[in-house]
Amino acid sequence: MIIAIDGPAASGKGTVAKRIAAHYGLPHLDTGALYRAVARDTVARGDDLADPAAAAAAAGRLDVDTLGDPALRTAGVGEAASIVARHGEVRAVLLEYQRRFAKNPAGAVIDGRDIGTVICPDADVKLFVTASPEERARRRYLELRESGIRIGEGEVLADIRNRDARDRTREASPLRQAEDAVLLDTTNLDIDAAFRAAIDLIEAAMGQAGQAG
Ligand code: CDP
């Protein structure tokens, strides 16, 4: 069972994806961490994030054991990630790893921006998780504050709008809802309610697929 979860920044998709993976006993891949790590490594070498060849080389050298690095979670790295994520060359390198992950015999839960559209177009279930920009900024602000990062909520909102615009308008695999994805708006849902809503949508989608097959 492949469950593809896409959506804009801080929509709750990562948390929902993690809970869904635990619920079904499936491995989870946060593909945003791949782009964040490529940005981190590009900057660490003193290379230019806007240089496709340098960023693609960093993608080629990526050590996936470093994806849990807490330094990846900052707003600055998120911003840098969306710059390297524009390069088709970077996406091509990371595509291979993501497709291999999806080949896990039991299945996988994969979240990102282009999972339902490009990485796993044949996923069994596709969710597009969203929320209003203000609510997403509020959540990300609380999350960052919790981890000791000092940043204003207005700055977080500006960052989110900026990143969404870049992710939606880029040429290579832009952020968009796949035609066969179901929309989950979490603006008025807390994490438990969002998780339950996601499970209901998944069960409904699986039930329909069962009937059709
Ligand atoms: O956690 P948050 O939603 O803020 O961001 P993320 O999922 O960690 O992704 C960081 C950035 O990586 C995004 O703004 C995208 O530019 C890029 N990304 C992408 O292009 N494709 C993906 N499948 C996942 C992330």
Side-chain angles (χ1 to χ4, degrees):
M1 175 161 75
I2 301 282
I3 302 176
I5 304 182
D6 291 303
S11 56
K13 63 184 184 316
T15 314
V16 165
K18 229 175 272 162
R19 300 250 325 235
I20 290 171
H23 179 81
Y24 290 112
L26 293 171
H28 167 230
L29 178 63
D30 162 14
T31 64
L34 299 172
Y35 293 90
R36 286 171 181 265
V38 169
R40 173 201 59 197
D41 296 351
T42 304
V43 169
R45 278 175 76 98
D47 286 335
D48 184 358
L49 295 166
D51 176 355
R61 285 189 302 266
L62 183 66
D63 175 0
V64 294
D65 289 338
T66 67
L67 295 180
D69 176 4
L72 295 183
R73 306 320 317 168
T74 66
V77 174
E79 174 75 14
S82 78
I83 297 174
V84 298
R86 282 190 309 205
H87 307 314
E89 294 88 336
V90 169
R91 308 198 72 87
V93 174
L94 298 181
L95 180 126
E96 278 177 47
Y97 176 76
Q98 296 171 80
R99 288 258 170 91
R100 237 181 299 129
F101 193 96
K103 283 214 174 91
N104 175 56
V109 179
I110 308 186
D111 78 78
R113 300 290 186 288
D114 62 340
I115 311 306
T117 52
V118 175
I119 304 296
C120 301
D122 298 326
D124 300 285
V125 185
K126 299 180 185 178
L127 297 184
F128 194 82
V129 181
T130 186
S132 73
E134 291 75 16
E135 176 58 21
R136 292 189 282 122
R138 194 186 66 85
R139 291 178 192 164
R140 182 52 50 90
Y141 165 73
L142 292 174
E143 215 175 275
L144 291 171
R145 209 179 55 172
E146 185 93 338
S147 61
I149 294 169
R150 293 170 71 88
I151 188 170
E153 196 170 332
E155 202 182 323
V156 178
L157 177 60
D159 164 64
I160 278 181
R161 286 192 191 279
N162 191 14
R163 207 140 59 82
D164 281 356
R166 191 181 286 138
D167 289 346
R168 286 184 201 277
T169 58
R170 69 177 174 228
E171 236 164 84
S173 310
L175 165 66
R176 67 176 181 82
Q177 182 177 350
E179 266 153 41
D180 51 350
V182 278
L183 183 69
L184 174 56
D185 187 332
T186 69
T187 305
N188 297 311
L189 303 179
D190 66 14
I191 186 61
D192 281 327
F195 167 67
R196 281 196 305 273
I199 293 290
D200 287 348
L201 291 172
I202 292 167
E203 296 293 331
M206 299 301 286
Q208 267 171 20
Q211 275 167 21

mmCIF file of all heavy atoms in Angstrom, residues 13-40:
data_model
loop_
_atom_site.group_PDB
_atom_site.id
_atom_site.type_symbol
_atom_site.label_atom_id
_atom_site.label_comp_id
_atom_site.label_asym_id
_atom_site.label_seq_id
_atom_site.Cartn_x
_atom_site.Cartn_y
_atom_site.Cartn_z
ATOM 1 N N LYS A 13 1.094 17.961 6.965
ATOM 2 C CA LYS A 13 1.244 16.696 6.231
ATOM 3 C C LYS A 13 2.293 15.776 6.849
ATOM 4 O O LYS A 13 2.103 14.562 6.872
ATOM 5 C CB LYS A 13 1.549 16.939 4.752
ATOM 6 C CG LYS A 13 2.844 17.658 4.534
ATOM 7 C CD LYS A 13 3.081 17.974 3.071
ATOM 8 C CE LYS A 13 4.434 18.607 2.889
ATOM 9 N NZ LYS A 13 4.822 19.647 3.852
ATOM 10 N N GLY A 14 3.372 16.367 7.370
ATOM 11 C CA GLY A 14 4.433 15.548 7.946
ATOM 12 C C GLY A 14 3.962 14.795 9.186
ATOM 13 O O GLY A 14 4.194 13.587 9.315
ATOM 14 N N THR A 15 3.277 15.505 10.071
ATOM 15 C CA THR A 15 2.794 14.888 11.303
ATOM 16 C C THR A 15 1.734 13.838 10.991
ATOM 17 O O THR A 15 1.749 12.738 11.549
ATOM 18 C CB THR A 15 2.195 15.965 12.238
ATOM 19 O OG1 THR A 15 3.097 17.067 12.270
ATOM 20 C CG2 THR A 15 1.981 15.441 13.624
ATOM 21 N N VAL A 16 0.827 14.186 10.076
ATOM 22 C CA VAL A 16 -0.215 13.233 9.676
ATOM 23 C C VAL A 16 0.441 12.002 9.034
ATOM 24 O O VAL A 16 0.078 10.855 9.352
ATOM 25 C CB VAL A 16 -1.226 13.907 8.711
ATOM 26 C CG1 VAL A 16 -2.088 12.878 8.011
ATOM 27 C CG2 VAL A 16 -2.097 14.899 9.474
ATOM 28 N N ALA A 17 1.431 12.225 8.186
ATOM 29 C CA ALA A 17 2.103 11.108 7.497
ATOM 30 C C ALA A 17 2.752 10.160 8.505
ATOM 31 O O ALA A 17 2.649 8.939 8.393
ATOM 32 C CB ALA A 17 3.141 11.645 6.517
ATOM 33 N N LYS A 18 3.409 10.743 9.504
ATOM 34 C CA LYS A 18 4.090 9.933 10.519
ATOM 35 C C LYS A 18 3.081 9.056 11.275
ATOM 36 O O LYS A 18 3.314 7.872 11.495
ATOM 37 C CB LYS A 18 4.793 10.878 11.510
ATOM 38 C CG LYS A 18 6.235 10.504 11.764
ATOM 39 C CD LYS A 18 6.918 11.527 12.657
ATOM 40 C CE LYS A 18 7.521 12.662 11.837
ATOM 41 N NZ LYS A 18 7.818 13.868 12.583
ATOM 42 N N ARG A 19 1.955 9.659 11.642
ATOM 43 C CA ARG A 19 0.936 8.922 12.396
ATOM 44 C C ARG A 19 0.293 7.832 11.538
ATOM 45 O O ARG A 19 -0.009 6.744 12.023
ATOM 46 C CB ARG A 19 -0.138 9.887 12.928
ATOM 47 C CG ARG A 19 0.411 10.950 13.854
ATOM 48 C CD ARG A 19 0.032 10.819 15.311
ATOM 49 N NE ARG A 19 -1.280 10.314 15.622
ATOM 50 C CZ ARG A 19 -2.169 10.943 16.384
ATOM 51 N NH1 ARG A 19 -1.898 12.149 16.856
ATOM 52 N NH2 ARG A 19 -3.306 10.386 16.694
ATOM 53 N N ILE A 20 0.067 8.138 10.265
ATOM 54 C CA ILE A 20 -0.525 7.139 9.365
ATOM 55 C C ILE A 20 0.433 5.960 9.201
ATOM 56 O O ILE A 20 0.020 4.798 9.220
ATOM 57 C CB ILE A 20 -0.835 7.776 7.990
ATOM 58 C CG1 ILE A 20 -1.995 8.759 8.134
ATOM 59 C CG2 ILE A 20 -1.163 6.703 6.954
ATOM 60 C CD1 ILE A 20 -2.224 9.593 6.902
ATOM 61 N N ALA A 21 1.720 6.274 9.050
ATOM 62 C CA ALA A 21 2.723 5.218 8.885
ATOM 63 C C ALA A 21 2.737 4.313 10.114
ATOM 64 O O ALA A 21 2.756 3.081 9.984
ATOM 65 C CB ALA A 21 4.100 5.845 8.647
ATOM 66 N N ALA A 22 2.693 4.917 11.317
ATOM 67 C CA ALA A 22 2.696 4.125 12.544
ATOM 68 C C ALA A 22 1.424 3.275 12.611
ATOM 69 O O ALA A 22 1.465 2.097 12.983
ATOM 70 C CB ALA A 22 2.796 5.049 13.757
ATOM 71 N N HIS A 23 0.291 3.862 12.225
ATOM 72 C CA HIS A 23 -1.000 3.167 12.277
ATOM 73 C C HIS A 23 -0.997 1.902 11.414
ATOM 74 O O HIS A 23 -1.491 0.860 11.819
ATOM 75 C CB HIS A 23 -2.093 4.134 11.826
ATOM 76 C CG HIS A 23 -3.473 3.553 11.808
ATOM 77 N ND1 HIS A 23 -4.235 3.441 12.949
ATOM 78 C CD2 HIS A 23 -4.234 3.048 10.800
ATOM 79 C CE1 HIS A 23 -5.401 2.899 12.649
ATOM 80 N NE2 HIS A 23 -5.429 2.649 11.344
ATOM 81 N N TYR A 24 -0.446 2.020 10.197
ATOM 82 C CA TYR A 24 -0.451 0.866 9.282
ATOM 83 C C TYR A 24 0.848 0.046 9.354
ATOM 84 O O TYR A 24 1.008 -0.916 8.605
ATOM 85 C CB TYR A 24 -0.673 1.334 7.843
ATOM 86 C CG TYR A 24 -2.076 1.848 7.586
ATOM 87 C CD1 TYR A 24 -2.311 3.193 7.327
ATOM 88 C CD2 TYR A 24 -3.177 0.983 7.606
ATOM 89 C CE1 TYR A 24 -3.598 3.673 7.099
ATOM 90 C CE2 TYR A 24 -4.465 1.457 7.379
ATOM 91 C CZ TYR A 24 -4.672 2.793 7.124
ATOM 92 O OH TYR A 24 -5.942 3.263 6.904
ATOM 93 N N GLY A 25 1.788 0.463 10.206
ATOM 94 C CA GLY A 25 3.057 -0.254 10.306
ATOM 95 C C GLY A 25 3.885 -0.166 9.029
ATOM 96 O O GLY A 25 4.546 -1.132 8.633
ATOM 97 N N LEU A 26 3.859 0.997 8.395
ATOM 98 C CA LEU A 26 4.603 1.192 7.145
ATOM 99 C C LEU A 26 5.771 2.157 7.364
ATOM 100 O O LEU A 26 5.693 3.033 8.224
ATOM 101 C CB LEU A 26 3.672 1.789 6.070
ATOM 102 C CG LEU A 26 2.540 0.905 5.572
ATOM 103 C CD1 LEU A 26 1.593 1.717 4.681
ATOM 104 C CD2 LEU A 26 3.102 -0.283 4.800
ATOM 105 N N PRO A 27 6.831 2.024 6.578
ATOM 106 C CA PRO A 27 7.913 3.009 6.693
ATOM 107 C C PRO A 27 7.463 4.359 6.133
ATOM 108 O O PRO A 27 6.617 4.419 5.237
ATOM 109 C CB PRO A 27 9.039 2.406 5.841
ATOM 110 C CG PRO A 27 8.378 1.494 4.892
ATOM 111 C CD PRO A 27 7.127 0.991 5.569
ATOM 112 N N HIS A 28 8.030 5.421 6.689
ATOM 113 C CA HIS A 28 7.648 6.784 6.288
ATOM 114 C C HIS A 28 8.861 7.528 5.732
ATOM 115 O O HIS A 28 9.943 7.454 6.305
ATOM 116 C CB HIS A 28 7.102 7.533 7.516
ATOM 117 C CG HIS A 28 6.977 9.016 7.313
ATOM 118 N ND1 HIS A 28 7.473 9.936 8.205
ATOM 119 C CD2 HIS A 28 6.424 9.731 6.294
ATOM 120 C CE1 HIS A 28 7.212 11.153 7.756
ATOM 121 N NE2 HIS A 28 6.592 11.062 6.610
ATOM 122 N N LEU A 29 8.674 8.201 4.621
ATOM 123 C CA LEU A 29 9.748 9.052 4.078
ATOM 124 C C LEU A 29 9.261 10.492 3.982
ATOM 125 O O LEU A 29 8.265 10.781 3.314
ATOM 126 C CB LEU A 29 10.175 8.552 2.683
ATOM 127 C CG LEU A 29 11.262 9.391 1.991
ATOM 128 C CD1 LEU A 29 12.569 9.370 2.786
ATOM 129 C CD2 LEU A 29 11.511 8.888 0.565
ATOM 130 N N ASP A 30 9.985 11.374 4.681
ATOM 131 C CA ASP A 30 9.741 12.820 4.621
ATOM 132 C C ASP A 30 10.664 13.356 3.523
ATOM 133 O O ASP A 30 11.857 13.554 3.755
ATOM 134 C CB ASP A 30 10.073 13.413 5.994
ATOM 135 C CG ASP A 30 10.276 14.927 5.969
ATOM 136 O OD1 ASP A 30 9.920 15.574 4.964
ATOM 137 O OD2 ASP A 30 10.791 15.458 6.972
ATOM 138 N N THR A 31 10.128 13.561 2.321
ATOM 139 C CA THR A 31 11.011 13.938 1.205
ATOM 140 C C THR A 31 11.502 15.383 1.330
ATOM 141 O O THR A 31 12.510 15.739 0.735
ATOM 142 C CB THR A 31 10.327 13.742 -0.166
ATOM 143 O OG1 THR A 31 9.197 14.625 -0.267
ATOM 144 C CG2 THR A 31 9.891 12.308 -0.354
ATOM 145 N N GLY A 32 10.788 16.217 2.129
ATOM 146 C CA GLY A 32 11.271 17.577 2.362
ATOM 147 C C GLY A 32 12.660 17.550 2.986
ATOM 148 O O GLY A 32 13.504 18.404 2.701
ATOM 149 N N ALA A 33 12.907 16.544 3.842
ATOM 150 C CA ALA A 33 14.211 16.432 4.500
ATOM 151 C C ALA A 33 15.326 16.204 3.474
ATOM 152 O O ALA A 33 16.466 16.642 3.683
ATOM 153 C CB ALA A 33 14.194 15.300 5.526
ATOM 154 N N LEU A 34 15.005 15.534 2.362
ATOM 155 C CA LEU A 34 16.022 15.305 1.323
ATOM 156 C C LEU A 34 16.472 16.651 0.736
ATOM 157 O O LEU A 34 17.665 16.916 0.593
ATOM 158 C CB LEU A 34 15.462 14.428 0.195
ATOM 159 C CG LEU A 34 15.001 13.011 0.561
ATOM 160 C CD1 LEU A 34 14.301 12.364 -0.640
ATOM 161 C CD2 LEU A 34 16.190 12.153 0.984
ATOM 162 N N TYR A 35 15.477 17.495 0.397
ATOM 163 C CA TYR A 35 15.798 18.804 -0.188
ATOM 164 C C TYR A 35 16.478 19.707 0.833
ATOM 165 O O TYR A 35 17.400 20.462 0.499
ATOM 166 C CB TYR A 35 14.531 19.456 -0.767
ATOM 167 C CG TYR A 35 14.019 18.688 -1.956
ATOM 168 C CD1 TYR A 35 13.095 17.648 -1.798
ATOM 169 C CD2 TYR A 35 14.505 18.947 -3.235
ATOM 170 C CE1 TYR A 35 12.655 16.908 -2.876
ATOM 171 C CE2 TYR A 35 14.073 18.206 -4.327
ATOM 172 C CZ TYR A 35 13.146 17.182 -4.137
ATOM 173 O OH TYR A 35 12.725 16.438 -5.206
ATOM 174 N N ARG A 36 16.032 19.616 2.087
ATOM 175 C CA ARG A 36 16.665 20.406 3.135
ATOM 176 C C ARG A 36 18.134 19.987 3.303
ATOM 177 O O ARG A 36 19.014 20.830 3.467
ATOM 178 C CB ARG A 36 15.906 20.227 4.462
ATOM 179 C CG ARG A 36 14.575 20.969 4.492
ATOM 180 C CD ARG A 36 13.752 20.614 5.713
ATOM 181 N NE ARG A 36 12.479 21.303 5.728
ATOM 182 C CZ ARG A 36 12.232 22.448 6.371
ATOM 183 N NH1 ARG A 36 13.183 23.006 7.094
ATOM 184 N NH2 ARG A 36 11.045 23.021 6.317
ATOM 185 N N ALA A 37 18.397 18.683 3.278
ATOM 186 C CA ALA A 37 19.764 18.199 3.466
ATOM 187 C C ALA A 37 20.656 18.593 2.281
ATOM 188 O O ALA A 37 21.829 18.948 2.465
ATOM 189 C CB ALA A 37 19.759 16.679 3.652
ATOM 190 N N VAL A 38 20.093 18.564 1.079
ATOM 191 C CA VAL A 38 20.876 18.985 -0.096
ATOM 192 C C VAL A 38 21.249 20.463 0.042
ATOM 193 O O VAL A 38 22.387 20.872 -0.229
ATOM 194 C CB VAL A 38 20.087 18.737 -1.411
ATOM 195 C CG1 VAL A 38 20.758 19.418 -2.594
ATOM 196 C CG2 VAL A 38 19.948 17.232 -1.664
ATOM 197 N N ALA A 39 20.293 21.283 0.518
ATOM 198 C CA ALA A 39 20.569 22.713 0.715
ATOM 199 C C ALA A 39 21.654 22.902 1.770
ATOM 200 O O ALA A 39 22.604 23.667 1.579
ATOM 201 C CB ALA A 39 19.288 23.427 1.133
ATOM 202 N N ARG A 40 21.529 22.168 2.882
ATOM 203 C CA ARG A 40 22.530 22.254 3.954
ATOM 204 C C ARG A 40 23.926 21.926 3.425
ATOM 205 O O ARG A 40 24.892 22.639 3.661
ATOM 206 C CB ARG A 40 22.153 21.261 5.076
ATOM 207 C CG ARG A 40 23.192 21.102 6.188
ATOM 208 C CD ARG A 40 23.006 19.792 6.938
ATOM 209 N NE ARG A 40 23.107 18.631 6.050
ATOM 210 C CZ ARG A 40 22.674 17.412 6.351
ATOM 211 N NH1 ARG A 40 22.110 17.192 7.513
ATOM 212 N NH2 ARG A 40 22.814 16.417 5.488
#
